[in-house]
């Protein structure tokens, strides 16, 4: 492998998300890209850090996302080699100013409570990014889960002023 990653973490500190990672070795590495997503399928590039190239010592890296999304988002690290090949690491959940959204799982359904944000749209994605359900909602919704296959889903609530996402297992 071109790098030996020791850890990757993302945490909210003083209204910014700080991404930290360490490598034990790097061979022909070019750079790192930090990506962010709310649904686990569509990723936005939020940062770029030049890599050491070649190293056999522990190197610590840090990137600050000064404009984190409101709600829950997920961060991952992508490493690029000098030849253009890349590898992705981790999906780390970060919560920023989450506003009274509550998910309660019951057998057969999930209760979703959230503040009314005028024209809130609820979208449920499967792990492949396919839309399973889309509905315009006010401040409460019951999501039936009986017909869902066992797996991981992303619930995304998009309002006029806020966005919230949560990864759930069914």
């Amino acid at each position: 492998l071109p790098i030996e990653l020791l850890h990757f973490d993302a945490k909210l500190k003083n209204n910014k998300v700080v991404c930290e990672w360490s490598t034990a070795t790097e061979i022909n590495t070019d750079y790192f890209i930090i990506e962010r997503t709310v649904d686990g399928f569509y990723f936005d590039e939020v940062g770029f850090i030049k890599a050491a190239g070649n190293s056999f010592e522990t190197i610590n890296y840090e990137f600050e996302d000064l404009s984190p999304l409101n709600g829950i988002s997920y961060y991952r690290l992508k490493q690029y080699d000098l030849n253009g090949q890349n590898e992705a690491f981790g999906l780390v959940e970060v919560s920023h100013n989450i506003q009274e959204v509550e998910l309660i799982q019951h057998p057969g359904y999930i209760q979703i409570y959230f503040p009314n944000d005028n024209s809130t749209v609820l979208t449920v994605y499967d792990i492949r990014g396919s839309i399973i359900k889309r509905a315009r909602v006010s401040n409460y919704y019951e999501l039936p889960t009986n017909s869902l296959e066992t797996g991981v889903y992303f619930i995304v609530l998009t309002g006029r002023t806020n966005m919230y996402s949560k990864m759930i297992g069914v």
Side-chain angles (χ1 to χ4, degrees):
L1 293 175
I3 71 166
E4 181 182 344
L5 185 70
L6 295 175
H7 84 283
F8 171 70
D9 198 18
K11 292 185 178 169
L12 185 67
K13 293 180 185 174
N14 299 323
N15 265 347
K16 58 189 172 190
V17 174
V18 178
C19 299
E20 298 174 325
W21 66 98
S22 299
T23 59
T25 60
E26 296 183 29
I27 301 169
N28 295 324
T29 58
D30 193 6
Y31 59 92
F32 296 96
I33 297 289
I34 298 87
E35 295 180 320
R36 176 180 68 199
T37 183
V38 294
D39 60 14
F41 188 71
Y42 297 103
F43 288 85
D44 293 317
E45 181 180 317
V46 293
F48 170 93
I49 300 285
K50 187 75 176 147
N54 291 297
S55 171
F56 296 97
E57 299 176 359
T58 299
I59 299 178
N60 299 310
Y61 293 92
E62 181 176 294
F63 169 79
E64 294 181 352
D65 181 0
L66 302 177
S67 302
L69 298 175
N70 201 17
I72 295 179
S73 52
Y74 303 88
Y75 288 78
R76 77 176 178 189
L77 178 70
K78 285 183 89 173
Q79 173 270 321
Y80 286 80
D81 295 345
L82 292 171
N83 65 7
Q85 293 184 339
N86 67 75
E87 183 174 4
F89 300 94
L91 256 187
V92 180
E93 182 179 300
V94 176
S95 176
H96 178 250
N97 289 339
I98 197 161
Q99 294 191 359
E100 303 171 27
V101 175
E102 186 176 1
L103 297 178
I104 303 172
Q105 283 191 268
H106 299 279
Y109 69 101
I110 299 173
Q111 290 178 308
I112 305 168
Y113 298 92
F114 48 92
N116 188 353
D117 193 17
N118 297 330
S119 302
T120 300
V121 175
L122 173 123
T123 309
V124 179
Y125 297 91
D126 66 14
I127 195 69
R128 294 176 299 278
S130 299
I131 295 174
I132 302 301
K133 177 77 175 172
R134 179 171 275 157
R136 189 165 302 282
V137 293
S138 57
N139 63 345
Y140 173 77
Y141 187 77
E142 282 190 11
L143 175 66
T145 56
N146 288 343
S147 61
L148 297 177
E149 293 180 25
T150 301
V152 175
Y153 295 87
F154 290 91
I155 296 176
V156 179
L157 293 161
T158 307
R160 191 167 43 120
T161 59
N162 290 305
M163 178 181 278
Y164 166 83
S165 70
K166 182 68 178 168
M167 184 170 49
I168 61 164
V170 175

